[in-house]
Amino acid sequence: MFSLNKRRLRDATYSKFLTLLWSIVLIVGSAIFIGYYASIGYMPSFDASSITALLVTASITSILIFFSLALLFVFPGLIWNLYSEESRLNSYWANGADTEILFNLLIWFSIPTFICYTLLFHSLLPYEFIILLILVYITLLVYKTYNKSIKIGDFLIHFFVVIFGAALTFFPFEIVLKLFIAWYKNLEDGYWLASVPDWILLMLITLPVILLNTFAVIFSRKKMLGFTLVAIFSLFLLFKMFSGWMIVPNKVMSLYQFGNFEVSQIVLKEQGCQTIDVLGIKPSLNGRVCSVRCIKIESRLGKQAYLSINKDNMKDNSNTKCKLASKDDKKFDRLKFTIPSNQIESWVVNADKASKESEEDKKQSISDKENTN
């Protein structure tokens, strides 16, 4: 009797857990779609038979993207932590009180990572500043290791790990940089930032990433949970600071081409051609179909496709050099409209890039022939 009740309790627990998990998946998927469509001011009419599959796809993808971004932020610190556990130099930075460990990590991890990162990827910092930083680092290193023997092999391994960690810092730096640029372009009174030297902006973006990984190493000396909590908190804080909540929804939509992607050319059927002609867009006709360049597909889900085009590309569209959507475009500079989804025959992504590569290949072929002759 006791065994039967225990089994029923276990089955009920599993059932409630799966119900809760399924509810979370649907809620996250719904939040992704609602957030994206609220940002573009449009809501399509979804097909009831496919809405569940769309929600599950969006939910799983968004969760993977979010945790991937979070992991990227602390990945340099994670690699360092794995190295630190096996290194014979571990005693130089892993012992003592938290304040002493922080100071030691600044010497052995933070400062050299910052120096290597700036030397690997950027030439914006003044050489005098880099030289001064290197001298300070060498002085601190000599001070901390005075009268202690360090084998050359151990130090070379340490140096390699520092360079590898600096290379990994490139990924969180790019995320912060893109968020910062998007935030800066949306500022109405942000012109004062234009007078700030590039190397100062570089430091303001890079240093927090490195310090974040330094604290992540301290918090996760015993448990991996420290890295996870620091990563998630940091990503939430970053989204809050730079209003970057739409990064994940936008990425999900463009990844599966549900929307939020630009096409160099789109081919429409006859009814679609008539619609855009009435709206003042002059397409390139080819029989019963036509093509329009420089279109952004905001959404293609549902019975209606939601499109937009920069007004500079509307007239004489076939001979216009594309001015694709950017964060500088204001809403009133773009015409947004809907057409039936079944009127879209096809579209081409990065046609201009492909044509440029083709032209370069032809020029290279001609040059090779001339050199042969």
Side-chain angles (χ1 to χ4, degrees):
M1 188 69 179
F2 177 75
S3 176
L4 182 60
N5 291 335
K6 186 176 180 180
R7 186 182 307 166
R8 288 178 178 176
L9 179 61
R10 184 182 59 187
D11 293 342
T13 303
Y14 286 158
S15 178
K16 289 182 179 179
F17 174 76
L18 292 176
T19 302
L20 177 63
L21 183 62
W22 181 249
S23 301
I24 293 174
V25 168
L26 294 181
I27 290 172
V28 172
S30 300
I32 293 298
F33 280 114
I34 291 174
Y36 175 75
Y37 284 112
S39 70
I40 65 174
Y42 174 78
M43 178 60 73
S45 55
F46 289 104
D47 185 1
S49 61
S50 61
I51 184 63
T52 302
L54 291 173
L55 291 178
V56 172
T57 301
S59 178
I60 294 175
T61 306
S62 62
I63 292 172
L64 290 175
I65 291 174
F66 180 84
F67 280 101
S68 297
L69 291 175
L71 180 62
L72 283 176
F73 267 90
V74 294
F75 204 52
L78 178 61
I79 296 298
W80 173 268
N81 200 45
L82 295 175
Y83 155 75
S84 176
E85 292 177 355
E86 303 296 331
S87 174
R88 285 189 287 241
L89 303 179
N90 181 280
S91 58
Y92 287 97
W93 59 78
N95 298 328
D98 286 343
T99 53
E100 186 178 355
I101 292 175
L102 175 60
F103 179 73
N104 292 335
L105 283 174
L106 289 175
I107 297 174
W108 288 89
F109 173 67
S110 306
I111 296 177
T113 300
F114 179 75
I115 294 173
C116 291
Y117 176 75
T118 52
L119 292 177
L120 283 172
F121 297 106
H122 297 284
S123 59
L124 297 177
L125 288 178
Y127 288 109
E128 297 85 357
F129 177 81
I130 296 178
I131 293 173
L132 177 62
L133 199 60
I134 293 174
L135 290 176
V136 171
Y137 168 63
I138 292 175
T139 302
L140 291 173
L141 189 62
V142 170
Y143 168 75
K144 292 297 295 183
T145 58
Y146 183 68
N147 287 335
K148 296 180 181 180
S149 60
I150 296 179
K151 294 182 179 180
I152 298 298
D154 294 337
F155 190 81
L156 290 177
I157 294 174
H158 168 77
F159 182 68
F160 172 78
V161 172
V162 167
I163 295 179
F164 185 61
L168 292 176
T169 308
F170 174 80
F171 297 104
F173 173 82
E174 285 296 301
I175 298 171
V176 177
L177 182 62
K178 289 179 180 179
L179 283 172
F180 176 80
I181 292 173
W183 170 78
Y184 167 68
K185 287 184 175 181
N186 289 327
L187 281 180
E188 295 181 358
D189 56 348
Y191 296 104
W192 60 273
L193 279 173
S195 61
V196 179
D198 291 339
W199 68 273
I200 294 181
L201 293 177
L202 171 68
M203 289 184 60
L204 291 176
I205 296 174
T206 308
L207 286 177
V209 173
I210 295 177
L211 290 177
L212 164 67
N213 281 272
T214 304
F215 284 110
V217 171
I218 295 175
F219 293 147
S220 61
R221 280 181 296 164
K222 295 181 179 180
K223 295 181 180 179
M224 187 65 187
L225 181 61
F227 266 112
T228 306
L229 294 177
V230 170
I232 294 175
F233 174 77
S234 302
L235 198 57
F236 270 112
L237 182 62
L238 195 66
F239 284 174
K240 177 65 176 178
M241 289 175 57
F242 297 116
S243 301
W245 302 108
M246 292 308 299
I247 285 184
V248 175
N250 288 341
K251 188 62 178 178
V252 172
M253 297 297 291
S254 60
L255 181 64
Y256 295 108
Q257 294 194 347
F258 294 155
N260 190 45
F261 65 100
E262 295 162 346
V263 296
S264 299
Q265 190 175 24
I266 187 170
V267 180
L268 304 176
K269 297 179 181 178
E270 187 174 7
Q271 182 183 345
C273 299
Q274 295 173 357
T275 301
I276 63 170
D277 185 62
V278 171
L279 294 173
I281 304 172
K282 303 303 178 183
S284 177
L285 299 174
N286 187 3
R288 299 178 66 87
V289 298
C290 66
S291 63
V292 185
R293 303 176 70 244
C294 315
I295 288 283
K296 181 178 181 181
I297 299 180
E298 306 282 356
S299 171
R300 67 178 186 86
L301 299 178
K303 296 180 180 179
Q304 296 284 326
Y306 189 48
L307 313 178
S308 69
I309 184 172
N310 192 299
K311 290 186 177 180
D312 294 337
N313 297 324
M314 288 176 59
K315 295 181 180 180
D316 223 2
N317 186 269
S318 59
N319 298 319
T320 303
K321 183 178 180 180
C322 281
K323 182 181 178 182
L324 296 177
S326 68
K327 294 181 178 63
D328 289 327
D329 293 332
K330 305 297 182 183
K331 291 183 179 179
F332 54 79
D333 289 330
R334 301 190 64 80
L335 174 67
K336 296 187 177 182
F337 57 97
T338 61
I339 63 171
S341 296
N342 58 13
Q343 290 300 307
I344 298 178
E345 187 74 30
S346 179
W347 63 71
V348 180
V349 181
N350 292 332
D352 292 340
K353 181 179 178 181
S355 62
K356 287 180 181 179
E357 292 177 351
S358 178
E359 290 177 3
E360 291 177 358
D361 291 341
K362 289 180 181 179
K363 290 180 181 179
Q364 183 65 37
S365 178
I366 293 173
S367 177
D368 292 340
K369 288 181 180 179
E370 290 177 352
N371 292 334
T372 304
N373 295 333

